[in-house]
Amino acid sequence: MDGTSASGKSTNAKLIAKTLDYVYVDTGAMYRTLAWYCLKQNVDVNNPKAVATACRKWKTLLICNDGDIKAVRLLVDNHYPEKEIRTKETAAAVPHVAAVPKVRDWMKKKQRECIQFGNLVMEGRDIGTNVFPETDFKFYLDAHLEERTKRRQADGVQEDLAARDQRDSQRAAAPLMIALGARIINNSGETPQQTSERIIGMVREIMTSARR
Ligand code: DC
């Protein structure tokens, strides 16, 4: 599941994972974790070589957390920085880290390794185009900018989403794009319940037509 910022990817991916009993993977959290780690280690996030070196050397572990929703977590030195990756500082650093090609290679490998935990609902910006281009289940979420801005504000976050989308779409390495074969879900004016039911309906339809 790919899409613009605040387009409802996380909310819907979690609802779908819960309904289908699949494992939820938030790939943005993985990029945020590296951004947080670089800040903590005083690695200059504007220096792609330094960021790539940090990414090659950090000690990580992928686990599947068995909570209300099964979810993959990337641990660093056995710690899951749940709160730390949501700070303003981390949010500002993450686009720099996510633009480094060696980082994207590392993340793609780790994200593909998540399949060890079972069927996945994976959300990000390049899942259908780059991480799992072979999947038949590709969804691209979007909503009107005003509505997305309101959703972020409701979460207590003030952010220039248009600027963020532009950065995510225009970077050279694995930019945000609509994957070939992706179903486009514009969920403006919908509740997460409605959107997730719509997507689950499409998943079942694709499964049925694959069996024919
Ligand atoms: O979804 P999010 O806001 O937590 O993502 C954080 C940043 O990571 C955002 O700038 C986009 C980037 N990202 C990415 O480049 N590729 C992904 N698969 C997921 C997130």
Side-chain angles (χ1 to χ4, degrees):
M1 196 181 275
D2 295 309
T4 49
S5 295
S7 60
K9 295 185 299 294
S10 304
T11 309
N12 284 290
K14 284 181 198 160
L15 279 171
I16 295 164
K18 191 168 172 163
T19 306
L20 299 178
D21 196 26
Y22 284 8
V23 177
Y24 167 62
V25 190
D26 175 359
T27 61
M30 296 170 76
Y31 286 95
R32 284 170 181 267
T33 300
L34 179 61
W36 163 76
Y37 178 81
C38 286
L39 295 176
K40 192 168 75 82
Q41 299 289 322
N42 289 320
V43 172
D44 178 4
V45 292
N46 291 300
N47 179 342
K49 265 197 175 164
V51 171
T53 303
C55 183
R56 200 174 61 239
K57 292 190 172 163
W58 65 338
K59 300 274 177 283
T60 62
L61 181 67
L62 275 181
I63 61 154
C64 182
N65 189 54
D66 242 344
D68 181 34
I69 301 168
K70 285 187 239 156
V72 169
R73 288 179 172 184
L74 181 70
L75 308 187
V76 192
D77 298 324
N78 277 321
H79 170 62
Y80 178 55
E82 189 169 9
K83 295 245 159 62
E84 298 92 314
I85 63 174
R86 303 291 161 193
T87 64
K88 255 207 274 178
E89 292 74 20
T90 305
V94 66
H96 301 286
V97 163
V100 177
K102 285 229 160 66
V103 167
R104 301 212 70 91
D105 292 345
W106 189 94
M107 291 287 173
K108 176 176 175 177
K109 189 164 163 276
K110 281 287 151 193
Q111 288 158 12
R112 288 187 67 92
E113 282 174 18
C114 292
I115 205 77
Q116 68 185 289
F117 301 118
N119 289 319
L120 308 173
V121 184
M122 182 175 278
E123 57 128 329
R125 304 291 191 292
D126 64 337
I127 312 308
T129 50
N130 185 43
V131 180
F132 284 109
E134 69 273 36
T135 184
D136 289 329
F137 303 91
K138 296 183 189 178
F139 299 94
Y140 183 92
L141 267 66
D142 203 358
H144 301 316
L145 181 61
E146 283 164 29
E147 185 159 339
R148 294 191 287 119
T149 304
K150 275 196 203 132
R151 289 178 189 168
R152 266 295 140 95
Q153 281 166 349
D155 288 341
V157 183
Q158 196 75 37
E159 204 182 348
D160 184 348
L161 290 180
R164 175 110 94 101
D165 292 339
Q166 197 176 26
R167 268 203 311 268
D168 285 340
S169 308
Q170 292 184 349
R171 65 165 177 247
L176 170 65
M177 282 194 302
I178 300 172
L180 198 67
R183 297 181 184 220
I184 299 169
I185 313 284
N186 188 317
N187 57 38
S188 304
E190 279 183 359
T191 63
Q193 200 63 34
Q194 289 170 323
T195 306
S196 62
E197 276 171 16
R198 197 146 72 90
I199 296 173
I200 290 169
M202 290 179 189
V203 167
R204 297 212 158 111
E205 180 195 300
I206 301 167
M207 281 175 171
T208 309
S209 58
R211 268 190 232 114
R212 275 198 208 115

